[in-house]
Amino acid sequence: MPFDPDNEQTPSRTRPVEPGAPAVAPRMILKGPAGDVTEFPLGDNNILGRSTTASVRLADREVSRKHSQVDKEGDDYVLRDLGSSNGTFLNGKRIFGPTRLRDGDEVVIGTSKMEFRLASAAKPKNAEIVHSDDGKDELKGVVARTSAKATFAPVEQIVDVNQLKRDYERLRIGHEFSNYVRLERDLNELLSRILQIAFDLIPCDNGVILLRDAQSHELVIQAMRQRKPGQGKVLVSDTLLGQVQATKEGVLTSDAIADDRFASAHSIIALGVRSAMAVPLLSSTGDDVKGIMFLDSRERIAAFTTKDLEVLSAIAAQASVALENSDYARALEHEATQRAQLARFLSPALVEQAARGSIELSKGGVLTELTILFSDIRGFTSISEKLPAQEVVKMLNDYFELMVDILFEHNGILDKFIGDAIMGLWGAPVKRPDDATQAVRAAVKMQARLKEWNEDRVAAGKVPIKIGIGLHTGHVVVGNMGSNRALSYTAIGDGVNLASRLCGVAREDMVVISEDCATRAGKENFVLEALPPAKVKNREAPVEIYQVNAIRD
């Protein structure tokens, strides 16, 4: 079936997490390699990159933590590259300065492809619901009603040839619909295609799809189509909508001008609305009206037949399934996005618990005891100056993979990467009695694993990496912190600062822990060597510290 974008007047969808909600903001649409689509609403200032605080977060190794920026300037949105090594590309060309974005522009950074889309109105401006002037709610001029839910009798029970023909027509429409719509997940595009199918099969002049708003539970016009654009507003009777909602059946009405219901509705008379049909979009159970599909004709009285109503009902039945599938797909996309974000700092087991809702990761912080780990590459600046930027990035990514795997293996969470440094936490969001022990074990294993990796690097003629690790156990504030659109699960407090300073005390290949950490971890579990007390910033008394030489079997 042909697709005519010039006739489309559908609103845009903003968030996959709110199926059916009208668009409220411009957004970036990320297109995944498997056809997955994730949408990111844009504010006034937006960072695109791998950073957990980025407005558009991209799990792409070829993307910098803060790769690009999109800023609102007046009525325009402007794209800038933030000095990335791999560059930012707009419609296939690399940009070197501020560049204004247009609706539909393709933005590519690394291997991530995105489409910039502007918001449209919450509903088509050329369609509205009209209300009765006299308060009557009786619908007149009803020619036919029909169920939007198809039932097919076993072949041995079929005796009516006409019924057989009607069933065949429903199946044909279902087949056509499936081929045309398939697994379309974009609500905007899906509604357009549904109306396109209706216009191809039924001689109508105007079409409207209304969906129930998730917050107000009222029917809202979400899409419209006109066979001859510019022929005036599409007006939908609230009485007709009420009848369809109440009966859950499709309704065909005759000449609207002759209906007393519209006697004082001069706008309808002026437009010459002659015939109209409306059918419900039902939930999979058939209990709820999720929306309504409306068609009208201005050409002649009795423009629609009972067969047209049955055809529209069959389209509505298929459309209901497609819309529900689209909702499910967007919900799955949102869950996948959430899981991907959680997987950046939680172990797989904790990601599963968070996805099930067993772990609360809401905005805000709580005071709790944590064990904090900091690791840092020694002489990283000197190493990076001698290597090409691409090799430095690859080295860091390989190094981070090794270290984070060990951190997760010992039930820790990744707080963040700070340049070449790693910050890990034990004790939140799930607290275990051996958190400190696991943290120290992880630190020792990180050093051991790094030595093995360095042997491979040296054998390949590459520079070995040396790290120092510091740990402390103490009370800090931990939780999701940031804005509503960009939250980061992290810890703050004096204990975090102390762990960072102990990392600075640690020399190459060393694991340095505080007295508090040693006590919580169990001194009997490790081979410890007392070091001279460390004088650290913001602490009057020197801090008792130990070097961890080995794990006791």
Side-chain angles (χ1 to χ4, degrees):
M1 295 179 184
F3 177 66
D4 181 8
D6 293 335
N7 270 347
E8 301 311 312
Q9 302 184 45
T10 52
S12 301
R13 178 172 56 86
T14 302
R15 294 175 181 265
V17 297
E18 298 175 1
V24 294
R27 67 262 189 222
M28 279 292 184
I29 302 175
L30 175 64
K31 301 177 181 179
D36 299 331
V37 176
T38 306
E39 298 192 5
F40 298 90
L42 298 177
D44 291 343
N45 303 103
N46 313 272
I47 296 295
L48 286 65
R50 286 191 297 108
S51 171
T52 57
T53 60
S55 307
V56 179
R57 303 175 194 173
L58 304 171
D60 185 339
R61 290 188 176 184
E62 296 185 23
V63 174
S64 305
R65 292 181 65 253
K66 295 184 178 180
H67 196 109
S68 308
Q69 186 166 340
V70 175
D71 298 319
K72 185 177 182 182
E73 297 183 2
D75 294 330
D76 297 327
Y77 280 80
V78 177
L79 175 67
R80 293 178 174 84
D81 184 81
L82 298 179
S84 65
S85 58
N86 292 330
T88 300
F89 295 81
L90 179 63
N91 298 326
K93 296 181 179 180
R94 185 168 183 171
I95 65 169
F96 295 95
T99 307
R100 185 165 70 93
L101 290 171
R102 299 178 184 275
D103 189 38
D105 278 349
E106 182 184 69
V107 177
V108 177
I109 57 178
T111 61
S112 300
K113 291 185 178 181
M114 292 164 284
E115 182 182 357
F116 172 74
R117 295 297 299 270
L118 286 168
S120 60
K123 66 176 183 178
K125 295 180 179 179
N126 211 29
E128 68 176 76
I129 300 172
V130 293
H131 303 275
S132 172
D133 293 336
D134 55 11
K136 295 178 181 178
D137 59 1
E138 179 184 355
L139 184 67
K140 298 183 179 180
V142 175
V143 175
R145 299 181 185 273
T146 186
S147 171
K149 201 167 186 178
T151 56
F152 297 95
V155 64
E156 62 272 9
Q157 296 180 12
I158 298 176
V159 294
D160 185 352
V161 175
N162 290 328
Q163 180 62 46
L164 183 61
K165 290 180 178 179
R166 287 193 292 271
D167 289 345
Y168 171 80
E169 184 70 4
R170 284 181 177 272
L171 292 173
R172 186 184 71 82
I173 291 170
H175 175 71
E176 293 283 350
F177 194 97
S178 177
N179 285 338
Y180 193 50
V181 173
R182 294 189 182 274
L183 297 178
E184 179 61 58
R185 282 171 286 186
D186 185 278
L187 181 63
N188 186 31
E189 181 71 10
L190 180 58
L191 296 178
S192 299
R193 293 190 176 198
I194 291 170
L195 285 174
Q196 172 72 55
I197 292 170
F199 271 61
D200 285 348
L201 297 176
I202 299 172
C204 57
D205 293 321
N206 303 288
V208 171
I209 294 179
L210 306 94
L211 297 179
R212 194 173 300 285
D213 183 76
Q215 281 75 42
S216 66
H217 302 292
E218 295 181 354
L219 288 172
V220 177
I221 296 174
Q222 289 283 12
M224 68 159 286
R225 183 181 179 87
Q226 292 183 302
R227 194 172 296 278
K228 298 176 182 178
Q231 63 181 356
K233 277 193 174 184
V234 180
L235 302 174
V236 185
S237 162
D238 65 332
T239 303
L240 177 59
L241 298 179
Q243 289 287 316
V244 173
Q245 291 185 80
T247 62
K248 299 184 178 64
E249 292 181 338
V251 176
L252 167 59
T253 65
S254 60
D255 187 8
I257 294 178
D259 193 335
D260 293 340
R261 162 71 177 80
F262 301 116
S264 58
H266 299 292
S267 56
I268 291 181
I269 296 173
L271 289 173
V273 176
R274 313 297 294 188
S275 300
M277 292 189 295
V279 292
L281 301 172
L282 299 173
S283 62
S284 57
T285 61
D287 298 329
D288 299 321
V289 177
K290 311 290 286 187
I292 291 178
M293 193 170 177
F294 169 88
L295 301 180
D296 76 23
S297 170
R298 298 176 184 176
E299 295 297 327
R300 62 189 188 278
I301 298 173
F304 302 132
T305 65
T306 302
K307 180 180 178 182
D308 290 327
L309 181 61
E310 291 178 350
V311 169
L312 185 59
S313 296
I315 294 172
Q318 295 293 325
S320 299
V321 174
L323 287 168
E324 207 155 72
N325 288 342
S326 179
D327 286 349
Y328 289 147
R330 291 196 297 276
L332 289 173
E333 287 169 5
H334 175 58
E335 182 179 337
T337 301
Q338 283 189 318
R339 284 175 179 268
Q341 292 170 356
L342 292 172
R344 296 176 183 178
F345 59 87
L346 295 180
S347 67
L350 290 180
V351 169
E352 188 62 32
Q353 291 184 53
R356 292 199 309 264
S358 303
I359 299 175
E360 178 62 39
L361 294 175
S362 58
K363 185 177 177 182
V366 295
L367 183 66
T368 188
E369 182 179 271
L370 297 184
T371 298
I372 306 104
L373 175 150
F374 277 90
S375 71
D376 188 65
I377 298 177
R378 298 298 179 243
F380 176 74
T381 302
S382 176
I383 294 173
S384 61
E385 287 175 349
K386 298 174 184 177
L387 298 174
Q390 292 87 345
E391 189 171 334
V392 172
V393 171
K394 185 179 185 308
M395 177 190 72
L396 278 178
N397 284 332
D398 292 343
Y399 162 72
F400 287 148
E401 288 281 354
L402 292 174
M403 299 299 102
V404 172
D405 282 348
I406 295 171
L407 187 143
F408 285 169
E409 180 185 333
H410 288 270
N411 299 320
I413 73 167
L414 174 65
D415 185 295
K416 63 175 70 72
F417 297 121
I418 310 169
D420 60 292
I422 297 173
M423 177 179 171
L425 305 175
W426 280 260
V430 174
K431 188 175 290 295
R432 298 180 175 87
D434 63 343
D435 282 327
T437 306
Q438 290 294 334
V440 179
R441 285 178 176 272
V444 175
K445 189 169 182 179
M446 287 166 70
Q447 290 286 17
R449 183 67 184 90
L450 188 63
K451 289 179 182 178
E452 297 174 3
W453 190 53
N454 278 329
E455 291 176 2
D456 295 336
R457 286 184 61 81
V458 171
K462 298 179 180 179
V463 179
I465 292 175
K466 301 290 185 177
I467 65 172
I469 302 177
L471 297 97
H472 171 65
T473 301
H475 283 84
V476 296
V477 175
V478 63
N480 268 319
M481 303 177 195
S483 70
N484 288 329
R485 287 177 45 230
L487 291 175
S488 178
Y489 193 81
T490 189
I492 59 174
D494 180 63
V496 176
N497 298 334
L498 179 55
S500 177
R501 301 221 162 82
L502 294 185
C503 179
V505 171
R507 297 189 299 275
E508 293 181 355
D509 302 326
M510 286 181 61
V511 175
V512 174
I513 65 176
S514 66
E515 172 70 33
D516 291 331
C517 181
T519 301
R520 288 288 191 275
K523 295 181 180 180
E524 69 280 2
N525 294 323
F526 304 94
V527 178
L528 303 178
E529 176 185 339
L531 298 176
K535 185 74 172 85
V536 297
K537 186 178 179 181
N538 296 332
R539 293 223 173 190
E540 295 182 4
V543 178
E544 298 293 328
I545 59 175
Y546 300 88
Q547 176 179 342
V548 184
N549 293 324
I551 301 171
R552 294 187 188 276
D553 292 336

